[in-house]
Amino acid sequence: MGRRKLLVGNWKMHKTTGEARAFAEELGRHGASFPDGMDFAVCAPFTALSVLRVLLPTRVKLGAQNVHFADKGAYTGEISAAMLTDVGVTSVIVGHSERRHLFSESDEWIRRKVHAAVAAGLTPILCVGEDLRQRELNHTLRVVERQTLSGLAELTSAQVAGSVVAYEPVWAIGSGQTPSSQDAQRVVSVIRNVIATEKGADAAASVRILYGGSVTPANIASFTDEADIDGALVGGASLDAASFAALAAGMMGGAQ
Ligand code: PGA
């Protein structure tokens, strides 16, 4: 179907500017690990964006981890989409489970953030996923369907086609536990199907859907080899440059 694989690092609240600089310089020495035909991004803290814009290898795009939905105004502590594009950001994570749970972000806020990101020309990376209790109650599919449709509700089909969804089971994040790749594929295919129903077959065929949650260089290929999984959103294992390069190589190895 011609969807390019995508590896996204999510640094969360890690790295000073000096640490970001060291990462970018080391990553530059791993240039050979970035195969053509695949895309790479690092979603860094706001404070590290300007440093990374200059130093990241050109194959690795710059991403952020949050955005506010207003253009500007009295929103102390917030960052607008225009501020992100101004420092070279091309994609932004929206609705990560840590934002949903620790910072009480609602589906409505997430929908507005996705819309603001797209309106500014950013690629939104909309995170969806069930927590452990929802999984145990067998509510996984209904949770991810609701979060997906709500998050993408304000986008046109063409805008959805250019967007990214990340399926991240909350219980798998930072835990060392993962669903089986078949399990992840099953959920991701359901996400693609609900997008087809709501936004049309073209949008569903083009939207990239990632898996995230305890992805490592050792297990990345098992996920990204699945038919509907177009890449990975990686936290812990993306913090080290050698590990990031190994994730890229792992994804490539699996694709061959
Ligand atoms: P993890 O985090 O890879 O450390 O599990 C993934 C994420 O939260 O995006």
Side-chain angles (χ1 to χ4, degrees):
M1 271 189 256
R3 293 187 301 268
R4 289 164 67 97
K5 295 273 188 227
L6 171 63
L7 171 64
V8 181
N10 172 14
W11 283 1
K12 310 191 180 186
M13 198 170 73
H14 291 285
K15 295 195 191 294
T16 61
T17 54
E19 290 162 346
R21 174 187 301 271
F23 174 97
E25 286 170 353
E26 191 185 341
L27 199 58
R29 293 193 281 275
H30 289 281
S33 309
F34 299 113
D36 291 341
M38 296 187 181
D39 297 324
F40 306 93
V42 167
C43 295
F46 296 131
T47 47
L49 294 173
S50 294
V51 167
L52 291 173
R53 175 189 204 170
V54 178
L55 293 176
L56 270 182
T58 50
R59 290 296 315 282
V60 183
K61 301 296 180 213
L62 192 56
Q65 301 169 18
N66 190 17
V67 63
H68 191 64
F69 45 75
D71 290 348
K72 60 174 77 157
Y75 299 101
T76 300
E78 294 295 320
I79 301 280
S80 73
M83 292 170 184
L84 295 179
T85 57
D86 182 47
V87 292
V89 167
T90 58
S91 62
V92 60
I93 296 172
V94 178
H96 189 280
S97 69
E98 287 149 19
R99 304 265 357 142
R100 291 179 191 263
H101 296 131
L102 301 176
F103 302 99
S104 304
E105 288 199 9
S106 65
D107 281 345
E108 192 209 331
W109 274 41
I110 291 162
R111 173 165 70 241
R112 294 171 72 183
K113 288 176 175 211
V114 166
H115 185 253
V118 170
L122 292 165
T123 301
I125 303 169
L126 170 68
C127 297
V128 301
E130 82 287 2
D131 64 24
L132 191 56
R133 204 178 68 88
Q134 291 164 332
R135 184 177 186 85
E136 285 167 354
L137 291 170
N138 251 329
H139 289 172
T140 297
L141 297 181
R142 84 165 71 143
V143 169
V144 299
E145 285 181 24
R146 191 200 76 236
Q147 291 175 340
T148 302
L149 293 183
S150 169
L152 300 177
E154 290 184 29
L155 303 191
T156 65
S157 297
Q159 289 169 333
V160 171
S163 298
V164 176
V165 176
Y167 169 52
E168 296 207 307
V170 178
W171 52 273
I173 294 175
S175 66
Q177 290 183 299
T178 67
S180 68
S181 58
Q182 296 90 333
D183 243 19
Q185 157 64 25
R186 191 174 58 90
V187 177
V188 168
S189 74
V190 167
I191 293 171
R192 201 176 294 288
N193 285 339
V194 300
I195 292 174
T197 306
E198 207 64 28
K199 299 289 179 178
D202 289 352
S206 299
V207 64
R208 288 191 284 185
I209 309 180
L210 315 181
Y211 167 75
S214 295
V215 173
T216 65
N219 68 17
I220 188 167
S222 72
F223 293 104
T224 58
D225 274 358
E226 294 288 348
D228 282 293
I229 301 180
D230 304 315
L233 177 57
V234 188
S238 75
L239 288 169
D240 175 77
S243 176
F244 190 94
L247 287 162
M251 196 165 73
M252 171 179 62
Q256 282 173 344

